[in-house]
Amino acid sequence: APWRPVLLLLRPGAPPVGGRQPAFSTSCVRCSKNKRLRQKRAISERKLTRYFVDHRKVRVVGGRGGGGGHSFYSEPRKIFGGPDGGNGGDGGHVILKADRQMKSLSSVLPFYQGFHGEKGGSKNCYGANGAYVYVKVPVGTLVKEDGKVVADLTQHGEEYVAAYGGAGGKGNRFFLSNENRAPTSFTPGEPGQERVLHLELKTTAHAGLVGFPNAGKSSLLRAISRAKPAVAAYPFTTLNPHVGIVHYQDYEQVAVADIPGLIKGAHQNRGLGMAFLRHIERCRFLLYVVDLSVSQPWIQLQDLKYELEQYKKGLSERPCVVIGNKIDLPPSRINLPLLKEQIDDRVIALSALTGDNLEELFLHLRELYDTYVKTEQSRGQSPVKW
């Protein structure tokens, strides 16, 4: 057959041929949205509430150990062969394992129990141990018992034994001695450990978007990543934290978390309160999103830092950058020079809606990430990778 050219059609959002990541788009947000976000199914915030769970009360019980065996060896012409009952198997543990693929505690059930050990058999056969039960939890899960922190799973693959299985019972072979040549006693298996644990998820991200409601945090996260948080013209549109991934040409990935909007008195549990303030604790650097269209936007920054400092001392002193959003509006161009005069932090003016000046945010975000990586490596610790 003669050679025929083949026209290769790629759907919008498909990865490029050759496996190379394209350069991040900074010129047109509308084109990047149509190209990258169309392939992801949109989930409303109301439906997402059912999927995203950051609190879970779990009752865990280890498996019961198998009972010891009770038998005597017997064969033709050897009636009194002695005891040969084997020991029972140990019960299985319940283990919590951090997995980066898990993003919520919604899949965690309220009760887990390890598998029981098998009973010891004759001919000195030991019972099989019960299998372990692994419970996958997101990275950044805090395990508490009676209000005390017992485990902090911050690394992928990190494990914590939530409930130990019971020890297996002893067979009558175990009690053989010179004084007792035909023991008939054996012990049952011990019950597994039983605990009630409280799992608390703290989002582990490199950067955290902090701002008041309707400051444009969700729109900004949509513009720089593939995340699709709900966007509307009313406050408290975002009810759950969202994490978006910013991709760079050298295959580095920076995780940016959209924290629900804070209000004055959030450290006193007003509004969404401390339910989502704890997600900011794990962020390595902060991105303060300020609405430039309102009068005196620097007051927003002062109130945000005050709430963070009241919640946890030193939280507002982390590396940060101030993002002046909605630069496309006329009042914003008047307030921008006033904001730069009032604060000492670096200010990046942009528009999440039109995509103006997103390049500066991408570059500075990478600078903050590289500084974080070098700091962790100098301390001998491994930085968090996505």
Side-chain angles (χ1 to χ4, degrees):
W3 178 83
R4 296 179 181 179
V6 178
L7 179 62
L8 187 62
L9 298 178
L10 297 178
R11 70 180 187 277
V17 179
R20 292 187 176 181
Q21 290 285 346
F24 52 81
S25 175
T26 59
S27 58
C28 181
V29 179
R30 184 177 302 176
C31 297
S32 63
K33 288 180 182 177
N34 295 335
K35 181 177 63 175
R36 296 184 299 172
L37 301 181
R38 188 179 300 171
Q39 62 184 5
K40 188 171 184 179
R41 181 171 60 91
I43 301 177
S44 65
E45 193 70 28
R46 179 176 298 179
K47 292 182 179 179
L48 187 63
T49 305
R50 297 180 299 176
Y51 301 135
F52 184 86
V53 178
D54 57 355
H55 268 289
R56 184 70 82 186
K57 181 180 178 181
V58 183
R59 177 170 166 258
V60 289
V61 180
R64 175 182 290 273
H70 175 263
S71 63
F72 289 87
Y73 183 76
S74 178
E75 65 178 9
R77 296 183 298 275
K78 192 174 183 181
I79 302 176
F80 304 103
D84 65 348
N87 298 336
D90 297 333
H93 307 329
V94 179
I95 302 176
L96 303 179
K97 186 174 183 179
D99 190 346
R100 65 166 61 100
Q101 300 297 331
M102 306 294 294
K103 303 302 179 184
S104 171
L105 294 173
S106 59
S107 61
V108 178
L109 302 178
F111 175 73
Y112 288 95
Q113 183 173 15
F115 290 93
H116 301 314
E118 294 185 3
K119 182 180 179 181
S122 59
K123 299 182 180 178
N124 297 323
C125 291
Y126 282 37
N129 296 332
Y132 295 167
V133 175
Y134 286 90
V135 182
K136 292 184 178 181
V137 296
V139 176
T141 300
L142 208 63
V143 185
K144 294 183 178 181
E145 184 179 18
D146 298 331
K148 298 181 180 179
V149 178
V150 294
D152 191 1
L153 307 178
T154 58
Q155 300 292 334
H156 174 71
E158 191 174 357
E159 298 180 359
Y160 172 71
V161 181
Y164 286 93
K170 304 299 183 182
N172 61 341
R173 171 72 181 183
F174 178 81
F175 299 97
L176 179 64
S177 64
N178 293 332
E179 292 77 13
N180 188 3
R181 303 305 300 174
T184 58
S185 58
F186 61 97
T187 60
E190 296 181 359
Q193 185 183 15
E194 183 175 354
R195 304 171 69 185
V196 177
L197 303 176
H198 293 267
L199 305 183
E200 180 180 310
L201 176 60
K202 292 186 178 181
T203 304
T204 302
H206 299 120
L209 296 175
V210 184
F212 286 107
N214 277 10
K217 302 183 298 298
S218 300
S219 300
L220 181 60
L221 188 65
R222 278 173 166 259
I224 64 178
S225 69
R226 296 183 179 182
K228 297 195 68 175
V231 175
Y234 52 84
F236 297 109
T237 308
T238 304
L239 300 178
N240 302 282
H242 295 261
V243 178
I245 307 300
V246 181
H247 299 269
Y248 288 88
Q249 289 182 339
D250 56 351
Y251 303 101
E252 286 289 347
Q253 299 179 358
V254 180
V256 181
D258 176 17
I259 309 299
L262 304 178
I263 62 174
K264 292 184 179 180
H267 67 280
Q268 299 175 353
N269 212 17
R270 293 180 182 177
L272 297 177
M274 291 182 291
F276 295 105
L277 269 172
R278 65 175 179 271
H279 292 281
I280 308 178
E281 292 185 48
R282 299 295 176 90
C283 297
R284 273 60 183 181
F285 40 90
L286 303 178
L287 306 179
Y288 294 101
V289 182
V290 177
D291 187 359
L292 288 177
S293 62
V294 301
S295 60
Q296 298 180 344
W298 54 88
I299 298 181
Q300 300 181 31
L301 181 62
Q302 296 174 0
D303 293 338
L304 289 173
K305 290 188 175 182
Y306 175 78
E307 295 298 330
L308 296 183
E309 193 65 24
Q310 292 297 317
Y311 174 72
K312 184 178 181 180
K313 188 175 182 180
L315 189 58
S316 62
E317 299 177 359
R318 293 188 180 181
C320 66
V321 63
V322 179
I323 299 176
N325 195 17
K326 304 181 183 180
I327 192 61
D328 54 308
L329 301 179
S332 301
R333 302 187 180 276
I334 301 176
N335 295 329
L336 178 59
L338 301 178
L339 176 63
K340 292 182 177 180
E341 294 177 359
Q342 294 291 332
I343 62 176
D344 298 330
D345 299 325
R346 179 175 179 177
V347 179
I348 299 178
L350 52 82
S351 174
L353 181 63
T354 62
D356 294 340
N357 203 27
L358 284 180
E359 298 91 341
E360 186 178 357
L361 175 59
F362 278 111
L363 295 175
H364 189 67
L365 186 63
R366 182 57 188 271
E367 293 177 3
L368 293 174
Y369 174 76
D370 292 340
T371 303
Y372 156 71
V373 172
K374 293 179 181 178
T375 303
E376 292 296 315
Q377 291 178 350
S378 63
R379 296 176 180 175
Q381 301 177 359
S382 57
V384 177
K385 295 285 187 177
W386 280 74

